[in-house]
Amino acid sequence: MTPPNPLKNDLFLRALRREPVERTPVWLMRQAGRYLAEYRATRAKAGDFLALCKNPELACEVTMQPIERFGFDAAILFSDILTVPDAMGLGLHFVDNEGPAFHHPLRTEEAILKLRVPEPEAELGYVMDAVRTIKTALAGRVPLIGFAGSPWTLATYMIEGAGSRDFVHAKRLRYDRPDLLKTLLSKLAEAVALYLAAQVRAGADALMVFDTWGGALDPQGYREFSLAAMQDVIERLRVLAPGVPVILFSKGAAAHLGEMSRSGAAALGVDWTASLADARKAVGGRVALQGNLDPTSLFARPEKVRELVAGVLADYGHGPGHIFNLGHGILQHTPIESVAALVEAVRDLSPAYQQAS
Ligand code: CP3
């Protein structure tokens, strides 16, 4: 166990508990990444993206870069959701400009039944080492977010063998062999819960589950295959890592926010296609909300960015329980000035909203 380190800035954790804060905390999904020159330099030193993930010192270096540059209120472990299927033996690699792919996609019943749940400290030790190294480097400056992919989102990559637009193989399983898909999701829920609990033991202060492709499912499918498996993860974490807040982010799933708010999560990520005011009504004060500026809006001029930030804050409205973020990951060619303008606008404009109306 890492010795407890009192946090100097706990705005993010207080907002997750829906406690009053002086201003709205802000961090960005994918805040360590290619839009930063210093990230590109460290990545070049590592060789490639996966080598960067597997090198705890360098993973720590890139985690700290956006904290140093912009003073975000939370750090997020630098890693990838696909480390878990990699540890399950699927052979992860990244094809330049095409994204992730697996050497051994799951295409047979036998392959699914043979899958083994990895032991995090042994088979994903490099991630736990990164968490410990980052915790030491942060020295209590801001909280550290650990994360994993949702079982359904991991399953889509594992079954398709790469990114996909239509998820033909994964959805064929969903319709023709729901029993087999559930067997896979249940193994993944166990793997994800053990992985996240190990990150907490290594020092993570909060956890986020990225369900990037939940919104690709039909409503019944979302409930049965995406949300149910995330709930399985949360229930396991209640035992394995009691009291640690979990943020669920299902992209494209605004219609399901009400149900998600009953999952036991502390907060929900909201993408930019939803209004935060509507989201707030849907969740009825049961969870905090994180979001939701359109990442592409950062390509507008900085004055416009400030106006759009003001719009997101006003949309959430008065009172606690808002964490400012984008509606999805920051894009590769995002201008640095826009990110600086975003952070400055949140700092300037949010205190007015933190008082009850
Ligand atoms: O938020 C952070 O700063 C933490 C880092 C983080 C990465 N991936 C780094 C990364 C997190 C939280 C992820 C999660 C992740 N990875 C998701 C879910 C979140 C989301 O964005 O929807 C998914 C679907 C993946 C799988 C993945 N990894 C894809 C599809 C890609 C290629 C996309 C691209 O932009 O090229 C990656 C690569 C990846 N993961 C990069 C980074 C910084 C770019 C790799 C590079 O440096 O070339």
Side-chain angles (χ1 to χ4, degrees), residues 30-32 34 39 43 49 76 79-80 157 210 212 328:
R30 292 268 180 109
Q31 63 191 17
R34 289 168 298 194
Y39 170 85
R43 186 182 184 277
F49 170 69
I76 180 161
S79 188
D80 199 85
Y157 285 99
F210 285 89
T212 309
H328 196 203

Side-chain angles (χ1 to χ4, degrees), residues 194-259:
L194 291 172
Y195 180 58
L196 290 173
Q199 291 181 36
V200 169
R201 285 194 300 275
D205 300 289
L207 298 170
M208 179 150 165
V209 177
F210 285 89
D211 184 34
T212 309
W213 303 122
L217 285 160
D218 56 292
Q220 176 61 21
Y222 176 78
R223 252 170 243 130
E224 211 175 317
F225 300 98
S226 169
L227 185 56
M230 292 195 288
Q231 222 152 341
D232 187 352
V233 171
I234 290 174
E235 272 152 33
R236 288 169 185 274
L237 285 172
R238 223 175 263 153
V239 179
L240 296 169
V244 177
V246 179
I247 307 168
L248 292 189
F249 173 57
S250 285
K251 188 166 169 274
H256 305 295
L257 288 167
E259 282 171 276

Side-chain angles (χ1 to χ4, degrees), residues 22-23 30 88 91 99-100 125 141 176 210 212 221 266 274 355:
E22 305 79 74
R23 60 174 177 80
R30 292 268 180 109
M88 293 172 110
R141 238 164 103 174
D176 281 346
F210 285 89
T212 309
Q355 289 104 44

